[in-house]
Amino acid sequence: MIPTAHIEVKEKGTIAKTVLMPGDPLRAKFIADTFLENVEKFNNVRNVFGYTGTYKGRKISVMASGMGMPSIGIYSYELFNFYGVENIIRIGSCGAYTSDLNLYDVILANDAWSESTYAKVQGGYDKDVIEASSELNSKLEKISEELGIKVHKERIHSSDVFYRESFEEYKEIYKNHGCTVVEMEAFALFHNAKVLGKNAACLLTVSDNLVTQELTTSEERQESFTNMMKIALEMAE
Ligand code: HPA
């Protein structure tokens, strides 16, 4: 049934088949303002802005996911299940668990490991790793080569907790599960895609490094995340 509880769109075709999902509504606005033409804003509910436009003449949408798995869980489910969306590409920031990764490196998630109960509660999935769509990933990899932007293909950690009492725990997650970066959404997005027969991928830019404690500022982030955006935007159809 549309409109859904969290997206105020009355017609299916308003949202493109491929949606880019940054966490931050202002980043969704930045992408629409900077890169898209013929832009129509389709969502304002809770200030979770969504836009449809064209990139190099091809249709694409961009809508914020909010932070964390419960939030992206809601928005991605509604987009996939009620609005005919086929592909969601999360574009977000991440913290690095290794000094081998530098600030602003671009990561393409092979899969996401999580201690979250999201997939178990949502659909009885009882493992702790979920893969990204291999089809979307090969397209994104090919695009990144064409654009000359290096991407690191990694297993990522989707965490429910940003501020842990035990900061050092990340070392165990790196060692035991092979996750090289941490973010907070991909595991739920990949799960929803899987149960609904849709496709999801996740591109990330390193915004902080837990080992070296280097950080980016929010202005720097806005600017320098354009590499990841340019890769994802080429998925417009
Ligand atoms: N933890 C979780 N999510 C993040 C981080 C982090 O350190 N950095 C960017 N997104």
Side-chain angles (χ1 to χ4, degrees):
M1 274 285 285
I2 59 175
T4 51
H6 307 92
I7 304 173
E8 56 190 338
V9 169
K10 295 187 187 69
E11 285 167 43
K12 255 191 175 173
T14 308
I15 305 177
K17 270 170 61 182
T18 300
V19 179
L20 308 189
M21 289 204 108
D24 179 356
L26 291 179
R27 195 162 296 148
K29 182 178 185 311
F30 173 83
I31 294 168
D33 290 347
T34 313
F35 298 107
L36 300 189
E37 293 179 307
N38 312 306
V39 176
E40 189 191 336
K41 191 181 197 189
F42 66 75
N43 198 53
N44 275 308
V45 180
R46 289 178 183 247
N47 284 344
V48 174
F49 307 138
Y51 306 85
T52 297
T54 54
Y55 183 69
K56 301 182 180 172
R58 284 128 56 199
K59 191 172 173 182
I60 193 154
S61 294
V62 50
M63 186 176 123
S65 69
M67 287 188 285
M69 289 185 258
S71 186
I72 199 166
I74 291 169
Y75 294 112
S76 62
Y77 196 94
E78 290 186 12
L79 290 170
F80 281 145
N81 200 46
F82 300 104
Y83 293 103
V85 171
E86 293 296 325
N87 311 306
I88 296 180
I89 301 156
R90 163 164 155 71
I91 45 177
S93 62
C94 63
Y97 282 171
T98 161
S99 54
D100 294 344
L101 291 168
N102 296 312
L103 296 185
Y104 306 119
D105 279 354
V106 179
I107 311 295
L108 176 64
N110 285 327
D111 48 24
W113 175 85
S114 187
E115 64 276 81
S116 159
T117 56
Y118 183 90
K120 186 162 191 286
V121 173
Q122 198 286 330
Y125 183 81
D126 61 4
K127 299 190 193 72
D128 53 14
V129 171
I130 309 181
E131 280 105 52
S133 150
S134 55
E135 198 187 318
L136 288 188
N137 273 14
S138 10
K139 286 187 187 164
L140 290 165
E141 230 186 308
K142 188 160 169 279
I143 293 165
S144 69
E145 280 164 20
E146 284 164 6
L147 295 176
I149 302 167
K150 181 175 171 51
V151 295
H152 300 255
K153 296 192 292 171
E154 306 288 335
R155 167 165 294 176
I156 69 173
H157 175 204
S158 295
S159 178
D160 277 331
V161 179
F162 190 93
Y163 297 107
R164 284 179 184 254
E165 285 305 298
S166 170
F167 176 79
E168 301 285 319
E169 263 168 18
Y170 81 84
K171 293 177 184 166
E172 297 301 309
I173 298 169
Y174 175 61
K175 202 168 76 196
N176 297 336
H177 302 286
C179 306
T180 56
V181 298
V182 57
E183 54 86 67
M184 308 186 76
E185 291 83 14
F187 182 80
L189 172 64
F190 293 174
H191 172 77
N192 280 352
K194 213 151 242 181
V195 295
L196 296 169
K198 306 279 181 158
N199 314 301
C202 174
L203 281 164
L204 301 167
T205 301
V206 176
S207 64
D208 52 274
N209 190 303
L210 281 79
V211 184
T212 63
Q213 315 248 332
E214 294 169 286
L215 278 178
T216 54
T217 64
S218 53
E219 296 87 44
E220 278 175 330
R221 258 178 259 171
Q222 188 92 321
E223 298 296 314
S224 58
F225 285 15
T226 52
N227 270 344
M228 156 182 81
M229 292 169 189
K230 284 179 184 160
I231 299 172
L233 280 161
E234 287 293 339
M235 300 294 283
E237 287 177 52

